[in-house]
Amino acid sequence: MPPFNLTSLTPATFILAGIPGMEKSHIWISIPFCSIYLAALLGNGALLLVIRTERSLHQPMYLFLSMLAIADLMLSTTTVPKMLALFWFSAGEISFNACLTQMFFLHFSFSAESVILLAMAFDRFVAICYPLQHAAVLTQSAVVKIGLVALLRSFCIIFPCIFLLKRLPFCGHNVIPHTYCEHMGIARLACADISINVLYGLAVPFAAIVVDVVLIAVSYVLILLALFRLPSRAARYKAFNTCGSHVCVILLFYVPAFFTVLTHRFGRAIPHHIHILLANLYVLFPPLMNPVVYGVRTQQIKQKVMKMFLCPKSRLLQE
């Protein structure tokens, strides 16, 4: 009898189950999720428009901020529209290739955002520790190259996950108890050994993110040492205030991410629907809060946004 070709057992579609145990509440859950998503689109879109139109904001910090906004839009748009279709129309069916595509862009945008936050920490380090060399080190060309490095590193880390999933056989199990496709959620449906997926999915991306966090921490240790050497308290406050927005964004990005990963890996006693809700909030909350943090704490952006939205009204009133 010829051997059975397991690699041919690839499902045509997967079924996203949503939030198990809370199916009756999907419509109610979709209302805040949709509102947060629309607010995130508006906030990040306004941020990109302001940075694009105001030449005075074509500086490294704001260029990195525009990259962060693009990564936020990718992170939320990759998952939320399909999630809302599932909640509103029970449209949980997704093709195998579409599921892999969603998985790729989800993890890709997360990895890219981590590199961008590291680049922003480097920008603050150079601006505070070596202010006279900042313009020479972080030129627009250097910023573009850093952006390309973020794309390339994220691609190289996440792209192998597609092949790791494509090699697996699936023996009829095609229901994903989640609102979107992610690497281990797909791998657990396979009827084969997934130890390589577990090892790669945990070790490689996690190690890359940990390296980013360590380098960010080192940057801020050096920044703090430089701040303590400044002669006056006012100078120290002014210098550290330029880092305040970035520190808030770092906490908004990494704390929920690590909490979600740790509870998913080790929080066996936590109900499954809590895991799913936390994962959903993670793709919604940072994209919502990042433009708010920078809009409130960064005087230049606040002024430009107010000018953009208030000036047309004042001109209409004058007419």
Side-chain angles (χ1 to χ4, degrees), residues 40-293:
L41 289 180
L42 178 63
N44 286 286
L47 198 62
L48 287 170
L49 182 61
V50 168
I51 294 173
R52 173 70 179 83
T53 55
E54 294 292 337
R55 294 188 62 85
S56 61
L57 298 181
H58 293 181
Q59 303 172 29
M61 183 177 76
Y62 301 110
L63 295 176
F64 288 134
L65 182 56
S66 64
M67 295 180 194
L68 187 69
I70 293 171
D72 279 336
L73 289 173
M74 184 187 299
L75 179 65
S76 56
T77 303
T78 296
T79 55
V80 178
K82 181 63 180 176
M83 184 195 307
L84 294 177
L86 167 63
F87 289 161
W88 290 340
F89 312 113
S90 299
E93 189 172 290
I94 183 170
S95 70
F96 180 74
N97 288 330
C99 194
L100 293 186
T101 302
Q102 187 185 57
M103 178 275 300
F104 172 80
F105 281 106
L106 170 71
H107 297 309
F108 174 87
S109 55
F110 175 81
S111 176
E113 191 158 339
S114 182
V115 180
I116 294 165
L117 289 174
L118 174 59
M120 295 173 80
F122 177 69
D123 170 65
R124 293 299 84 205
F125 164 71
V126 176
I128 292 173
C129 297
Y130 302 97
L132 299 179
Q133 302 174 25
H134 182 260
V137 173
L138 282 163
T139 61
Q140 286 199 1
S141 174
V143 172
V144 171
K145 289 176 182 176
I146 291 172
L148 292 175
V149 167
L151 294 177
L152 184 61
R153 194 199 76 163
S154 302
F155 180 84
C156 292
I157 289 175
I158 306 304
F159 194 65
C161 293
I162 294 178
F163 294 100
L164 290 174
L165 291 172
K166 276 185 170 290
R167 72 181 180 86
L168 294 173
F170 296 86
C171 309
H173 303 290
N174 68 337
V175 178
I176 301 175
H178 211 306
T179 55
Y180 54 77
C181 300
E182 49 92 21
H183 178 223
M184 288 311 302
I186 302 172
R188 288 193 184 96
L189 298 179
C191 50
D193 181 23
I194 62 169
S195 56
I196 295 177
N197 294 73
V198 174
L199 182 62
Y200 186 90
L202 183 62
V204 178
F206 192 74
I209 301 301
V210 168
V211 169
D212 293 344
V213 172
V214 169
L215 292 176
I216 290 171
V218 170
S219 298
Y220 272 97
V221 168
L222 296 174
I223 287 171
L224 288 174
L225 292 176
L227 289 178
F228 290 138
R229 291 196 293 267
L230 292 177
S232 68
R233 180 179 297 179
R236 288 195 295 269
Y237 175 79
K238 183 179 179 181
F240 187 75
N241 193 49
T242 64
C243 302
S245 300
H246 184 238
V247 171
C248 291
V249 168
I250 287 172
L251 295 176
L252 283 171
F253 180 75
Y254 286 114
V255 171
F258 282 114
F259 182 75
T260 300
V261 170
L262 291 174
T263 55
H264 190 70
R265 298 288 178 180
F266 306 109
R268 305 290 183 184
I270 300 176
H272 188 60
H273 66 273
I274 300 297
H275 288 292
I276 306 301
L277 282 172
L278 289 173
N280 289 334
L281 288 174
Y282 173 70
V283 300
L284 284 165
F285 198 62
L288 170 69
M289 294 305 299
N290 289 349
V292 173
V293 168

Side-chain angles (χ1 to χ4, degrees), residues 7-20:
T7 58
S8 65
L9 297 177
T10 300
T13 60
F14 285 118
I15 305 296
L16 294 170
I19 305 176

